[in-house]
Amino acid sequence: STPGNISLQHVWPYSFLLEFDDGAGIKVSPPEHLRKRRDCPLDITDCIPPHQTAARFKVTVQLDPKLTLSAASKLHYVLAIVMCMPKDPSALLAEVPVENVRQSASRMRSILSRRQDEDDLQISGGSDEVDAETRSLRLTCPLSYMRMENPARGRDCSHIQCFDLEWFIRAQKMMGAFNNRWKCAICDTVLRPDAMLIDGYILGILRSTEDSQAEEVFVTKATAEWSVNPPATDEEQSA
């Protein structure tokens, strides 16, 4: 939502036609019967006359004929033409900084000190608490299901799980639903490259467990110290 409680959605009208003076143009056809249309941005580069600093164009819009006059009068569209430069995954990877271990460990201790509530359980898909003092930390990416190489998170995310940065970036290009791109792979928060960082604490764990290829470690809540071995049970301690 925007100020004034105006709800914005990335969607094309029922049909849409953009025509330039030289006859070039681009069209969005009405959705096919019983099929949902994917309303993604359109690349108009080839439609713009070369070597011109300005271009005139005309826009023709048709609203859904099934809409009532009252419903149609409440629809307002804003057309944005944006100049952008594509970047390959390697360039985006280079833009995300590695947070130092001390700051990452401090955040981890802060997250671990919180009691898991319903939101946490919904984010993680279940409790990762092993006991009152320990939580498990997956070293695998939720997108690739493989060990992470560059464990990334949002600067403001409050979950302990990370995702692999390269897999996350590549997933955006493969995602058909444009509106669902650039959202955290864990908590669904909108997440652009400039809002991400590589977690130095988890990166250190990954490097330390490279030989064993461990997929999970166990973290002590109070100190954020970790071990590849789960905590001993009461029976094991008394044996």
Side-chain angles (χ1 to χ4, degrees):
S1 296
T2 60
N5 294 321
I6 299 175
S7 178
L8 296 179
Q9 290 182 308
H10 187 282
V11 61
W12 291 111
Y14 182 73
S15 70
F16 172 87
L17 177 64
L18 184 147
E19 297 175 285
F20 287 87
D21 281 349
D22 65 353
I26 197 163
K27 181 179 181 180
V28 176
S29 300
E32 297 181 22
H33 182 59
L34 298 180
R35 296 190 65 178
K36 183 175 178 60
R37 185 180 65 191
R38 293 191 183 278
D39 287 357
C40 296
L42 301 175
D43 186 351
I44 63 171
T45 303
D46 294 337
C47 300
I48 300 175
H51 312 300
Q52 287 188 216
T53 57
R56 292 167 55 89
F57 61 86
K58 179 178 70 174
V59 172
T60 305
V61 170
Q62 179 188 0
L63 299 182
D64 189 339
K66 296 179 182 178
L67 288 175
T68 64
L69 185 61
S70 174
S73 66
K74 296 177 182 178
L75 293 176
H76 301 277
Y77 289 93
V78 176
L79 174 65
I81 296 180
V82 182
M83 180 181 293
C84 54
M85 180 180 296
K87 293 184 178 181
D88 60 33
S90 60
L92 292 173
L93 279 168
E95 292 181 5
V96 179
V98 179
E99 187 179 46
N100 68 61
V101 176
R102 180 175 296 180
Q103 287 179 307
S104 294
S106 176
R107 180 198 298 104
M108 181 62 70
R109 284 191 292 270
S110 176
I111 295 174
L112 291 171
S113 67
R114 294 190 301 113
R115 180 178 179 274
Q116 279 194 304
D117 54 26
E118 291 184 2
D119 289 339
D120 294 322
L121 298 180
Q122 187 174 4
I123 288 170
S124 62
S127 177
D128 53 20
E129 288 195 351
V130 177
D131 56 33
E133 300 177 352
T134 311
R135 284 175 68 173
S136 64
L137 172 63
R138 301 291 298 175
L139 301 180
T140 52
C141 172
L143 299 172
S144 68
Y145 301 103
M146 298 188 296
R147 268 176 57 97
M148 296 176 285
E149 293 186 12
N150 294 296
R153 64 165 64 250
R155 295 178 185 273
D156 298 323
C157 288
S158 59
H159 42 77
I160 66 174
Q161 176 69 46
C162 284
F163 50 84
D164 186 82
L165 180 59
E166 184 171 0
W167 270 91
F168 176 77
I169 290 174
R170 293 186 183 279
Q172 308 315 305
K173 188 174 182 179
M174 296 185 291
M175 190 174 297
F178 177 80
N179 290 349
N180 290 331
R181 293 179 184 176
W182 298 110
K183 291 184 178 181
C184 176
I186 313 299
C187 65
D188 219 28
T189 300
V190 174
L191 204 56
R192 303 282 193 266
D194 60 358
M196 292 189 289
L197 51 81
I198 294 175
D199 190 302
Y201 170 80
I202 297 180
L203 182 62
I205 296 176
L206 285 162
R207 289 174 175 172
S208 297
T209 57
E210 192 169 354
D211 290 340
S212 67
Q213 290 291 294
E215 296 186 350
E216 181 182 35
V217 295
F218 301 90
V219 184
T220 303
K221 294 180 183 179
T223 62
E225 294 179 347
W226 61 272
S227 171
V228 294
N229 300 313
T233 63
D234 293 339
E235 291 79 6
E236 290 172 335
Q237 290 178 349
S238 60

